[in-house]
Amino acid sequence: MSILNHVPKGYNLRDGQKTVLLAFEKAYQNGTRNFIVDAPVGSGKSLICKVIQNYLGTAYISVPKISLQIQYVTEFKDARKLIGRKHLPCTWQDAELNQYVTPIIKKGHFFRIEERASCAGAICTKKPAAKRKKILEQCAEFGECPYNVLIETASQSDMVVANIHSFLAQTKWRPGIVTGK
C-alpha cells in the first residue's frame, strides 16, 4: 500500500508534501532507515512526519524547540513529548505529590511546579553510582520517579517528539527509545 494512503482523516496533502513522501517511500524501500526532513516554516513537516509514522507504525521526531513539541502533541493526540528533567517536579519523599503527578505524565502531559525542586536538581542525579542506587531504592518507596515515568511512557508510544537535547541524551543513554527495542 502506498504511503499516500496513510494520511490521517481530515487532512489533505499538498503537492510538495506528496513529493517528499514518495521520495521517502522509495528510499525506505531501498533500505534507508534514517531521514531528515528540512523544509521551510509552514511547508507541512508535521503532517509529513505523521504520515510517515502511520506508514511505519512508529516515528521518533527531533525538533529544535519545545514550542514545536507542543504543536505536535496538540495536533496529533498519540504523540508524546520527551523533555528534560528540569521540566518535571522531583517527588522524592512526597508520596501524595507522586500519586498526583504520575498519572498525568502517563497521559502525555507534563508541568513544572515552581516551588518544588525539578528532577534536574534531584538528589539522585548528584551522587556517585553506589549512593545513587540506594537513593533510587529509597525514592521508589514514595512512588515512581516522574522522569522515569516520562521515559517509559515515551518508549511505549508510536510517536515520540523530542527537542534536540533530549534526542541526543536518549540516543546516548537509552538507545532503545529511538530504535523501539
Side-chain angles (χ1 to χ4, degrees):
M1 182 185 293
S2 169
I3 192 167
L4 299 181
N5 293 330
H6 290 84
V7 178
K9 290 182 181 180
Y11 290 89
N12 294 307
L13 294 173
R14 297 187 299 254
D15 289 342
Q17 293 169 314
K18 290 177 187 176
T19 301
V20 169
L21 289 166
L22 291 171
F24 162 84
E25 183 176 38
K26 182 177 180 181
Y28 186 80
Q29 289 171 350
N30 289 328
T32 303
R33 292 297 180 261
N34 295 299
F35 300 89
I36 296 175
V37 178
D38 184 18
V41 172
S43 60
K45 294 180 295 290
S46 298
L47 181 56
I48 289 169
C49 291
K50 179 61 178 166
V51 173
I52 291 171
Q53 184 256 317
N54 288 348
Y55 178 72
L56 298 178
T58 187
Y60 191 100
I61 302 158
S62 177
V63 296
K65 297 180 180 180
I66 289 176
S67 61
L68 293 173
Q69 289 177 286
I70 293 168
Q71 176 185 320
Y72 270 95
V73 299
T74 301
E75 191 164 348
F76 306 115
K77 300 302 179 197
D78 59 336
R80 292 291 177 260
K81 288 180 288 202
L82 186 58
I83 56 172
R85 293 176 187 271
K86 73 178 183 178
H87 299 286
L88 297 165
C90 176
T91 60
W92 186 60
Q93 295 186 330
D94 192 338
E96 185 176 331
L97 178 61
N98 189 280
Q99 289 175 353
Y100 173 73
V101 167
T102 302
I104 293 170
I105 295 170
K106 286 181 179 179
K107 290 179 182 174
H109 305 290
F110 75 96
F111 53 88
R112 176 82 173 84
I113 301 173
E114 293 302 324
E115 57 273 4
R116 294 283 306 187
S118 74
C119 284
I123 192 168
C124 62
T125 65
K126 306 295 182 198
K127 300 290 181 184
K131 289 184 180 178
R132 186 178 304 142
K133 184 178 179 186
K134 178 118 175 109
I135 291 168
L136 288 172
E137 289 170 1
Q138 292 171 347
C139 188
E141 295 173 16
F142 300 99
E144 299 173 88
C145 170
Y147 185 68
N148 289 339
V149 168
L150 175 75
I151 297 297
E152 182 63 26
T153 301
S155 69
Q156 294 174 8
S157 175
D158 290 332
M159 186 178 210
V160 178
V161 184
N163 65 36
I164 192 67
H165 303 290
S166 292
F167 173 78
L168 294 173
Q170 295 310 315
T171 54
K172 169 76 174 162
W173 302 111
R174 298 175 195 250
I177 197 166
V178 177
T179 62
K181 297 177 183 173

